[in-house]
């Protein structure tokens, strides 16, 4: 393992690589750059002192489960009305949130540079009218808390009212409490605000939905290997945390639908989230990565029997298992056709049109789901080094390169052989003394 001083030095000496991955994202209907967009997001990575033990049951798994279950609820064929609403809805589990919000800062920066999702059909950041971000939701029971960068503007009030109404109409849902007097906690929402003009910030409706209030995190094991299934009280589908998150998924889905409807009379047909999906996701992420849902979506993930580590790592051209798995679940959740029949079920990652995704169980789904680079804007796109004049607000986390393992072997004689050598040496020494004595005493004639 190599390393040198700081990122600038380490990158110059070619001893480090930028932390990077791929951020999955998907739309409920075909992308159109003229559409206003409602973004529903959550962190998709976590960390701990030992990277393979980055379990993040509360840090990110709880929010991911709610996001994907909300997407699945809205994506059902019975709720096809959501695909004709005035506003489109984009679901995005952001990579790199644990290391300076890498994925969200890259996507926001690419928006203002007219690169996302396509350079010839960019999504103007001004079209991003509402953001609902989810964070740490498993440990809450009686309350959920709403933080906003500007909770008094019209678009933020629209989100707050939608969440409050959805929570009140959903049986067993916690009470929604607005933390209007508090600053916005660390959130991917900040990355978008940093890229916006003042007028765009004033218009944006941005709300962080969390299980903690302004006094701080409820999770005392945040970003440690102890933030595991036991930390959130999860054992199986009957655990109370599953019901809580399932209820919150319904609240989020209803809220996003209301915001996207923009005052129209459209309504959801199905309103209950899939609690089995919540339990399966928690099982995969916090108990056994080789779970039944993973085998259905992407195949066997080994070694079996351990949680799915979601440390972001370094991107070398392919998706890591956690990103691949969650992207396939998102593709299924948002699919306009969950049982597509085509001669070739292939993917091109072209946001102009929905894609065919082949799941491991043989199912082909037709979904407007894609991936986007999650590498800090501080680095060149190929990760070859830092940009000469990068903005210091961007993350510059890197990982030291790992040299090939090597060793030098030194053979050690057996104890019996060592004893034989010492004994032989002693015998030769004694014999030499005796020989010299005999020669001097009896053989050598003294000169006269």
């Amino acid at each position: 393992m190599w390393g040198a001083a700081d990122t600038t030095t380490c990158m110059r000496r070619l001893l480090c690589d930028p932390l990077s991955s791929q951020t999955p994202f998907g739309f409920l209907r075909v992308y159109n750059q003229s559409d206003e967009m409602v973004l529903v997001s959550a962190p998709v990575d976590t960390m701990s002192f030992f990277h393979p033990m980055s379990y993040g049951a509360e840090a990110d798994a709880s929010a991911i489960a709610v996001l994907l279950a909300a997407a699945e609820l809205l994506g059902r064929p019975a709720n096809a009305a959501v695909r004709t609403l005035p506003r489109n809805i984009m679901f995005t589990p952001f990579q790199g949130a644990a290391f300076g919000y890498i994925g969200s800062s890259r996507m926001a920066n690419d928006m203002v540079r007219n690169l996302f999702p396509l350079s010839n059909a960019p999504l103007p950041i001004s079209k991003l009218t509402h953001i609902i971000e989810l964070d740490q939701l498993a440990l809450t029971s009686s309350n959920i808390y709403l933080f906003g960068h500007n909770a008094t503007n019209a678009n933020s009030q629209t989100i707050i009212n939608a969440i409050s109404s959805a929570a009140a109409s959903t049986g067993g849902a916690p009470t929604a409490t607005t933390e209007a007097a508090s600053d916005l906690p660390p959130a991917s929402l900040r990355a978008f605000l940093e890229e916006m003009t003042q007028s765009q910030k004033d218009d944006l409706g941005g709300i962080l939905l969390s299980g903690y209030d302004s006094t701080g995190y409820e999770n005392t094991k945040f970003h440690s290997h102890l933030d595991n299934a036991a930390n959130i009280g999860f054992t199986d589908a009957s655990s109370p945390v599953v019901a809580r998150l399932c209820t919150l998924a319904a609240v989020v889905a209803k809220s996003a639908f209301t915001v996207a409807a923009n005052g129209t009379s459209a309504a959801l047909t199905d309103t209950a989230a899939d609690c089995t999906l919540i339990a399966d996701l928690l099982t995969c992420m916090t108990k056994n990565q080789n779970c039944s849902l993973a085998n259905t979506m992407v195949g066997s993930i080994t070694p079996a029997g351990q949680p799915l580590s979601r440390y972001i790592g370094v991107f070398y051209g392919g998706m890591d298992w956690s990103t691949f798995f969650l992207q396939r679940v998102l593709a299924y959740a948002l699919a306009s056709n969950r049982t597509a029949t085509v001669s070739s079920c292939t993917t091109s990652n072209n946001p102009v049109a929905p894609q065919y995704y082949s799941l491991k169980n043989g199912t082909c789904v037709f979904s407007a789901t894609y991936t986007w680079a999650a590498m800090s804007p501080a680095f060149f796109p190929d990760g070859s080094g830092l940009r000469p004049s990068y903005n210091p607000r961007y993350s510059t986390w890197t990982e030291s390169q790992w040299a090939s393992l090597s060793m030098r072997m030194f053979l050690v004689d057996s104890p019996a052989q060592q004893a034989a050598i010492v004994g032989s040496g002693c015998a030769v020494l004694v014999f030499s003394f005796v020989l010299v004595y005999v020669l001097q005493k009896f053989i050598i004639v003294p000169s006269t």
Side-chain angles (χ1 to χ4, degrees):
M1 181 176 181
W2 305 102
D6 52 29
T7 292
T8 303
T9 305
C10 202
M11 292 291 289
R12 186 178 67 248
R13 296 179 182 176
L14 304 179
L15 299 178
C16 294
D17 296 309
L19 292 186
S20 52
S21 184
Q22 296 281 297
T23 289
F25 70 98
F27 306 101
L28 267 168
R29 69 164 175 261
V30 178
Y31 166 71
N32 187 320
Q33 65 182 127
S34 64
D35 285 341
E36 289 188 345
M37 197 68 64
V38 179
L39 171 62
V40 183
S41 70
V44 77
D45 71 308
T46 184
M47 63 176 293
S48 70
F49 187 79
F50 300 102
H51 296 162
M53 300 174 71
S54 300
Y55 304 144
E58 171 68 330
D60 72 308
S62 59
I64 296 170
V66 170
L67 181 143
L68 292 174
E72 190 279 331
L73 171 54
L74 291 177
R76 291 176 192 170
N79 289 328
V82 74
R83 305 185 193 276
T84 61
L85 297 179
R87 296 181 176 124
N88 202 349
I89 304 176
M90 180 171 76
F91 287 87
T92 308
F94 281 117
Q95 273 283 10
F99 292 90
Y101 301 97
I102 294 172
S104 53
S105 61
R106 173 62 179 269
M107 185 177 288
N109 182 258
D110 285 345
M111 280 185 183
V112 298
R113 293 194 297 139
N114 295 323
L115 298 175
F116 176 86
L118 288 170
S119 58
N120 61 349
L123 172 65
I125 200 167
S126 59
K127 289 292 186 180
L128 197 61
T129 57
H130 300 79
I131 298 177
I132 303 173
E133 183 169 352
L134 314 177
D135 189 34
Q136 300 187 47
L137 297 169
L139 296 181
T140 186
S141 55
S142 59
N143 289 282
I144 49 176
Y145 301 92
L146 311 179
F147 295 86
H149 79 285
N150 185 357
T152 59
N153 75 8
N155 283 338
S156 291
Q157 280 298 314
T158 297
I159 299 175
I160 292 171
N161 293 339
I163 293 176
S164 299
S165 176
S169 64
T170 304
T175 303
T177 303
T178 304
E179 296 282 348
S182 301
D183 290 335
L184 183 67
S188 294
L189 172 56
R190 288 182 176 272
F192 290 90
L193 292 171
E194 291 286 357
E195 300 290 350
M196 291 181 167
T197 65
Q198 188 57 51
S199 62
Q200 290 169 344
K201 292 179 184 178
D202 293 339
D203 292 338
L204 176 69
I207 296 296
L208 174 69
L209 173 61
S210 72
Y212 52 83
D213 60 19
S214 58
T215 62
Y217 290 172
E218 294 289 331
N219 186 13
T220 58
K221 301 176 178 64
F222 183 71
H223 282 177
S224 80
H225 68 284
L226 299 176
D227 188 9
N228 52 23
N231 186 41
I232 62 173
F234 174 69
T235 53
D236 53 36
S238 64
S239 301
V241 66
V242 173
R244 290 201 302 271
L245 294 180
C246 191
T247 301
L248 286 174
V251 170
V252 171
K254 292 177 183 178
S255 304
F257 183 92
T258 300
V259 174
N262 194 23
T264 63
S265 59
L268 285 173
T269 301
D270 282 355
T271 59
D274 185 351
C275 297
T276 301
L277 176 61
I278 294 277
D280 288 345
L281 287 166
L282 290 180
T283 298
C284 298
M285 291 187 285
T286 68
K287 294 179 74 69
N288 180 16
Q289 60 186 357
N290 195 34
C291 57
S292 60
L293 183 61
N295 279 273
T296 297
M297 295 293 169
V298 297
S300 178
I301 303 178
T302 56
Q306 70 180 35
L308 182 65
S309 177
R310 293 178 303 288
Y311 167 66
I312 180 174
V314 175
F315 177 63
Y316 289 117
M319 282 187 283
D320 57 81
W321 276 114
S322 64
T323 304
F324 185 38
F325 166 62
L326 296 172
Q327 191 261 357
R328 285 299 191 267
V329 177
L330 182 63
Y332 173 81
L334 298 179
S336 57
N337 187 344
R338 295 179 177 177
T339 55
T341 303
V342 292
S343 58
S344 178
C345 190
T346 57
T347 304
S348 65
N349 201 39
N350 181 1
V352 168
Q355 309 294 300
Y356 289 105
Y357 288 92
S358 177
L359 306 183
K360 196 64 178 179
N361 66 353
T363 302
C364 185
V365 299
F366 191 54
S367 179
T369 307
Y370 319 94
T371 59
W372 195 252
M375 180 184 292
S376 171
F379 299 102
F380 288 115
D382 62 358
S384 59
L386 285 166
R387 296 179 186 270
S389 56
Y390 68 89
N391 193 311
R393 74 169 179 263
Y394 295 133
S395 166
T396 57
W397 284 96
T398 58
E399 181 180 295
S400 296
Q401 293 179 357
W402 295 80
S404 300
L405 292 177
S406 62
M407 66 178 66
R408 298 176 65 185
M409 298 180 63
F410 297 89
L411 297 178
V412 178
D413 296 328
S414 67
Q417 186 176 2
Q418 291 176 347
I421 292 173
V422 172
S424 300
C426 292
V428 170
L429 178 63
V430 172
F431 176 76
S432 299
F433 277 112
V434 172
L435 179 61
V436 171
Y437 175 78
V438 171
L439 290 175
Q440 288 185 340
K441 183 72 174 177
F442 301 106
I443 305 300
I444 301 176
V445 180
S447 59
T448 55

